[in-house]
Amino acid sequence: MRVFTATLATETNTFAPMPTGLASYKERGYFAAGQHPDELTFFAAPLWALRQRAPALGWQVVEGMVAMAQPSGTTTRVAYETLRDELLADLRAALPVDMVLLGLHGAMVADGYDDCEGDLLQRVRTLVGPGVVVGAELDPHHHLTEAKVRHADVLVAFKEYPHTDIVDRAHELIDLCAATVAKKIKPVAAVVDCRMIAMMHTTRQPARGFVDRIQALEGRDGILSISITHGFPWGDVPDMGTRVLVYADGDAAKAQALARQLADELIGLREQLQSPQKGIDESLDEALAFDGGPVVIADSADNPGGGAPGDSTFILRRIVERGITDAALGPLWDPIAVGLAFEAGVGATLPMRLGGKIGPLSGQPMDLMCTVKALQRDMLMSGLSGEKQPLGNCALIESGGIQIVLITVRSQAMGTDLFTQLGCDLASRKIVVVKSSQHFYASFSKVARQVVYASAPGVVTNDLKSLPYRKIKRPLWPL
């Protein structure tokens, strides 16, 4: 078996103010063909899983380009076309192959391309022909388009949110595609559009039970795979929304019937699937009233994992204005402030202007007298599946009892070591504010006495009715 694998991935917030260019991919994770390091990276899980399994199977694996960018605004045309054409050139050089396995996101949008992955998969199919099995692993916050389904033999999305199962799903993709090559199975897809938007937190019910149930259905009675498309509400494209994808073994009617049944169940759960959101002051009130700590407050609207800058000051401002101490906040993306902290050195106290740099939804900058508590260059944070996430040069500063982690490489909060590496003792903090929607939960829930989801202004606002959609197909609940 000769297998080609590669990655091209980002999640595009079409409302975000910052374009995603080639530099964004270089900063986050770009590796030319054959240059991927000996460690897991988030969207290269198929490559990583192949490295683990291919030697024992006697497979020959050809590794193409791997390119990932932190979620942000629309990818530039030159960036997408340059990286797409590099991946296709790597595939062309690897031919002939029996199988192509790609690590994609599924919600990548570029200038002139509402469906980058559909475009890429179509070009891959044109290169390899109908006889080669093509599979891809997707983030569940993708847009499930007809082109994606038509040009791939198998698509497998992560089931967990936080996405702690990326390696498991990569192995599932390999198993299904290898069985297809061997003609042991014939995957037939069915898709049902739920006409809604549902971001499913699998850390709580009813999403937890629903995911457990669909996993129990897989591998039984001819059902090969079930993926739930949550959708990505901050991507204004025609196919945005929640969908159910079922693959059955050669039985289109069975796949369609189950997809319809599961979609109807999801529609019935849609109100319960919505994450609880509270205003800034209500969230702070709840945290202060809670007996003990730390209470973790999620600033989901400024989540860089959804395309936000990660520099908003709305919650920080209220913490300062209310005189709250014993608080921590991070990561706040502010390369300028980090540079000043490094110039001043550990122990220095200086006036600093923090955050609020990108646009109106970042809030106004905060002018505070700060003490530099710790500095670290090229810091890494623990990810969801053992991988490491780059944070760049980092500084821990303190002002009025509030400790703030500043970073130079934009990222959301995932591992608690974001704070602890710099000496911030989370157990001693009453309130910990994290720039994240849900991925923080896998790590921070182990130390949090309570978790609160705050609704603040931001690029990843939960007030979807406030977004100026132009391309989505309505009606689409709750819009």
Side-chain angles (χ1 to χ4, degrees):
M1 176 96 70
R2 185 173 169 85
V3 186
F4 175 82
T5 184
T7 292
L8 178 54
T10 192
E11 181 180 63
T12 300
N13 185 323
T14 58
F15 304 107
M18 299 182 296
T20 305
L22 283 169
S24 299
Y25 291 88
K26 301 284 185 180
E27 178 183 67
R28 181 67 174 183
Y30 165 81
F31 308 98
Q35 299 301 308
H36 191 279
D38 188 21
E39 60 190 39
L40 174 66
T41 55
F42 196 76
F43 284 107
L47 178 151
W48 183 250
L50 282 167
R51 283 186 180 179
Q52 294 174 320
R53 297 178 60 177
L57 295 169
W59 293 357
Q60 182 181 5
V61 177
V62 181
E63 297 181 1
M65 177 206 77
V66 171
M68 300 165 282
Q70 180 70 27
S72 194
T74 302
T75 292
T76 64
R77 181 187 290 266
V78 68
Y80 171 60
E81 292 181 347
T82 298
L83 296 170
R84 176 200 67 191
D85 292 349
E86 182 178 345
L87 187 156
L88 294 172
D90 293 341
L91 172 57
R92 191 176 295 108
L95 296 176
V97 296
D98 302 292
M99 189 160 68
V100 176
L101 298 180
L102 301 175
L104 306 175
H105 182 285
M108 181 179 182
V109 180
D111 292 334
Y113 300 89
D114 280 344
D115 180 17
C116 290
E117 294 88 353
D119 172 70
L120 174 63
L121 287 166
Q122 180 179 11
R123 293 169 188 270
V124 167
R125 178 60 71 195
T126 299
L127 267 181
V128 301
V132 172
V133 173
V134 176
E137 185 177 26
L138 302 175
D139 188 296
H141 302 128
H142 62 260
H143 311 299
L144 190 60
T145 64
E146 189 273 338
K148 289 184 181 74
V149 177
R150 175 156 49 95
H151 297 298
D153 293 280
V154 179
L155 299 172
V156 173
F158 317 148
K159 287 183 170 63
E160 301 293 337
Y161 185 34
H163 304 328
T164 54
D165 62 333
I166 60 173
V167 176
D168 292 338
R169 300 287 77 75
H171 284 292
E172 177 185 331
L173 178 70
I174 292 171
D175 288 339
L176 291 170
C177 289
T180 304
V181 172
K183 301 192 184 306
K184 295 178 180 178
I185 59 173
K186 183 182 179 182
V188 177
V191 177
V192 173
D193 186 348
C194 299
R195 304 308 308 150
M196 68 181 195
I197 307 165
M199 305 290 277
M200 298 168 55
H201 289 188
T202 57
T203 52
R204 60 185 179 87
Q205 299 295 355
R208 177 71 269 149
F210 186 85
V211 168
D212 290 342
R213 181 165 170 266
I214 65 172
Q215 287 191 283
L217 293 171
E218 293 175 318
R220 299 173 53 191
D221 195 28
I223 299 303
L224 301 174
S225 175
I226 305 170
S227 290
I228 306 299
T229 299
H230 300 194
F232 186 63
W234 302 277
D236 184 17
V237 296
D239 290 287
M240 188 272 282
T242 303
R243 288 168 167 79
V244 176
L245 170 64
V246 174
Y247 287 99
D249 187 5
D251 192 334
K254 180 177 289 186
Q256 182 65 32
L258 181 57
R260 181 71 262 173
Q261 175 189 331
L262 294 173
D264 289 340
E265 291 180 21
L266 274 179
I267 293 167
L269 295 172
R270 64 188 187 184
E271 298 279 358
Q272 300 174 58
L273 291 171
Q274 297 294 91
S275 62
Q277 299 287 331
K278 300 179 179 180
I280 295 174
D281 281 299
E282 187 181 0
S283 298
L284 293 173
D285 289 343
E286 180 175 336
L288 292 172
F290 187 81
D291 184 18
V295 176
V296 172
I297 298 177
D299 184 6
S300 59
D302 194 37
N303 172 22
D311 74 334
S312 84
T313 58
F314 297 105
I315 296 180
L316 175 60
R317 182 171 298 279
R318 289 303 295 146
I319 289 174
V320 172
E321 289 172 346
R322 293 179 56 161
I324 298 171
T325 57
D326 292 334
L329 182 146
L332 187 71
W333 179 58
D334 196 331
I336 295 173
V338 172
L340 294 174
F342 270 84
E343 185 73 9
V346 174
T349 298
L350 69 160
M352 299 184 76
R353 174 162 284 194
L354 305 175
K357 293 183 170 62
I358 295 301
L361 291 178
S362 294
Q364 291 296 313
M366 292 288 293
D367 292 304
L368 300 173
M369 188 62 67
C370 303
T371 299
V372 181
K373 306 294 288 185
L375 301 168
Q376 187 169 328
R377 294 192 184 276
D378 299 321
M379 196 168 92
L380 300 173
M381 169 182 61
S382 298
L384 297 174
S385 297
E387 81 282 6
K388 295 295 184 180
Q389 301 287 339
L391 298 175
N393 295 338
C394 300
L396 178 68
I397 61 172
E398 183 170 325
S399 178
I402 305 164
Q403 293 194 340
I404 303 167
V405 174
L406 306 174
I407 62 174
T408 57
V409 174
R410 197 168 54 89
S411 182
Q412 67 174 301
M414 287 192 181
T416 54
D417 55 353
L418 153 72
F419 291 96
T420 58
Q421 288 182 79
L422 294 166
C424 178
D425 179 13
L426 295 178
S428 70
R429 303 279 112 184
K430 175 66 176 180
I431 294 173
V432 178
V433 179
V434 292
K435 301 281 188 178
S436 178
S437 296
Q438 177 67 355
H439 284 336
F440 74 92
Y441 196 96
S443 180
F444 283 83
S445 64
K446 298 174 183 176
V447 300
R449 296 289 305 280
Q450 178 85 331
V451 173
V452 179
Y453 295 89
S455 180
V459 172
V460 193
T461 177
N462 284 287
D463 182 11
L464 301 183
K465 294 180 181 179
S466 70
L467 296 174
Y469 292 108
R470 295 183 299 108
K471 295 182 178 180
I472 62 169
K473 298 175 184 175
R474 297 174 188 262
L476 191 65
W477 183 92
L479 303 177

